[in-house]
Structures are given as C-alpha cells and as structure tokens.
Amino acid sequence: MTRSVSCSCNHAGTLSRGGRRILWSIRVTLTVALLISSALSAGSALARTAAASCQGANLPPSAANVAAVDAVTLCLVDEVRTAHHLRPLRPNQELHAVAARQVNCVVRWNDFADDCPSGQTPWAQIAATPYGTHAAGLSIGQTLGWGTGPYRTPAEMVAAWMSSPPHREIILTGAFNDAGVGVAPAVPSILGAGEPGATYAIEFAGRLF
C-alpha cells in the first residue's frame, strides 16, 4: 500500500500593475496522489475525527453534489485548523474559481500537475483576480490531490493531506485567511484506470492591505 507525494519548490516574486508594485509570495505548492490508504498518522486521524462534525464528509463526489463536496472539504480543513488553535478559513469565490479551473484542467488535459498546459500558474491566476489586484501583498498556497474508489471522499482526501507533513504545513499555515475548494468527480485517465474517482484542489491565500 503506497501513497506518492511530489513537491515543487517555494516561489516568491513581485508583480507590477499600473505603476503600483504588489509583493506576493508562495508558501509551498505541493501535489499528492492518493493511490491506496496506508497507516494513518496522528494528523490524518484528527482529520477523520473532524468528519463527524462535517455532514457529507464520506460522500463520493458526483456531478450533482460537487458544491456540497466543496463545502464539506473546507469544513474538514477548518475543523483541523480549529483543533490547532488557528482561525477557520473564509470561503472565497475567486479562489474557488481558480481551484475549479485547476481540477478541470487536470482532468481535461490528462495531466496531474500544478500548472495547466497553458503555463499559467495557480498563483498567477489568483494574483490576476480582484482578490489579488486589490491587495498590497499576498501569501498563497495550493494542495492538489486525487483518489479513487473509497478513497475519493472529502474525509479520505483531507486525511491523506494531513498524513503528509508538507501538506499539513500548508493546511496549518496561520497566514492564510481565505480559501477556495474545487472538486471534479473524475481523475485523469492515466491515473484512474477507469475507476470512479475525484480530483481535489484547495487554493489558500492571505492578503495585506
């Protein structure tokens, strides 16, 4: 039984618009491929406990319930953050739109990667939205994952992230105030081999004004 995790590097830069310089930073960007469940760490056990407080945590995503799955995924993350004395994340529609584009891109292009084939990164997309353009500074992070069969539920996805130290770090980053979840009730065919599955993305962000 295995779980495969890949990590891209930290990023930081500056972005100028209309003569105004916007500073932005990326905490960490990672992807997780959940193949089959392995022994759970204390972090993933906490995520499973949180499932009792979030209705629909064990709901397999479908075309009819993705909005509910988005909401319960964020609920699970907030339960974990609250248990670590961190503020819950505010749902944000602009971040949700970026996350939804990300998972749809992964499935459409059959390529499990942080960036779409167009080359536009998730953080560049966020920086280009009103969420980013109206901020003096941004802190942004992303988690991306997929699961098949019984491991495609929100509870299993958050448990997988919490059992991975880098993903856990993103979820428990205090600088993040807002988040958007995107879920597609499918996985790239190169990964899922025809099994029912789901792809998840969460865009995390915090702003300075």
Side-chain angles (χ1 to χ4, degrees), residues 3 10 14 17 29-30 32 34 39-40 43 50 53 68 93-94 99 103 116 129 144 178-179 201-202 205:
R3 181 179 288 120
N10 295 329
T14 61
R17 275 197 185 81
T29 303
L30 303 117
V32 59
L34 176 60
L40 296 175
S53 303
Q93 285 301 310
E94 289 157 349
V103 294
C116 285
T129 68
L144 179 65
D178 307 296
I202 306 182

Side-chain angles (χ1 to χ4, degrees), residues 4-6 28-34 98-99 101-107 111-116 122 141-147 157 160-161 167 170 182 188 198-204:
S4 173
V5 179
S6 65
V28 186
T29 303
L30 303 117
T31 58
V32 59
L34 176 60
V98 173
R101 284 197 298 271
Q102 182 69 10
V103 294
N104 289 329
C105 179
V106 165
V107 173
D111 182 22
F112 190 75
D114 291 324
D115 305 334
C116 285
Q142 172 182 270
T143 59
L144 179 65
W146 62 273
M157 191 72 260
W161 283 329
H167 294 82
I170 290 180
T199 304
Y200 290 73
I202 306 182
E203 308 300 333
F204 300 84

Side-chain angles (χ1 to χ4, degrees), residues 6-13 24-31 114-115 121 123 139-142 165-167 169-170 173 176:
S6 65
C7 174
S8 65
C9 53
N10 295 329
H11 297 267
W24 59 284
S25 65
I26 311 306
R27 296 281 300 184
V28 186
T29 303
L30 303 117
T31 58
D114 291 324
D115 305 334
T121 63
W123 44 91
S139 181
I140 301 170
Q142 172 182 270
H167 294 82
E169 180 183 355
I170 290 180
T173 294
F176 297 145

Side-chain angles (χ1 to χ4, degrees), residues 103-191:
V103 294
N104 289 329
C105 179
V106 165
V107 173
R108 177 184 176 188
W109 292 98
N110 199 25
D111 182 22
F112 190 75
D114 291 324
D115 305 334
C116 285
S118 65
Q120 189 176 28
T121 63
W123 44 91
Q125 294 181 53
I126 293 170
T129 68
Y131 183 94
T133 57
H134 295 162
L138 288 174
S139 181
I140 301 170
Q142 172 182 270
T143 59
L144 179 65
W146 62 273
T148 57
Y151 306 108
R152 69 190 189 274
T153 66
E156 292 292 344
M157 191 72 260
V158 175
W161 283 329
M162 287 301 294
S163 69
S164 164
H167 294 82
R168 177 188 174 100
E169 180 183 355
I170 290 180
I171 289 171
L172 299 181
T173 294
F176 297 145
N177 301 314
D178 307 296
V181 180
V183 179
V187 298
S189 60
I190 57 170
L191 302 175

Side-chain angles (χ1 to χ4, degrees), residues 9-77:
C9 53
N10 295 329
H11 297 267
T14 61
L15 182 66
S16 297
R17 275 197 185 81
R20 182 167 65 97
R21 174 163 285 186
I22 301 170
L23 300 177
W24 59 284
S25 65
I26 311 306
R27 296 281 300 184
V28 186
T29 303
L30 303 117
T31 58
V32 59
L34 176 60
L35 304 180
I36 47 181
S37 183
S38 61
L40 296 175
S41 68
S44 63
L46 176 59
R48 288 177 179 274
T49 301
S53 303
C54 299
Q55 186 175 2
N58 296 307
L59 191 66
S62 70
N65 67 15
V66 287
V69 172
D70 289 349
V72 75
T73 303
L74 186 57
C75 175
L76 290 166
V77 168

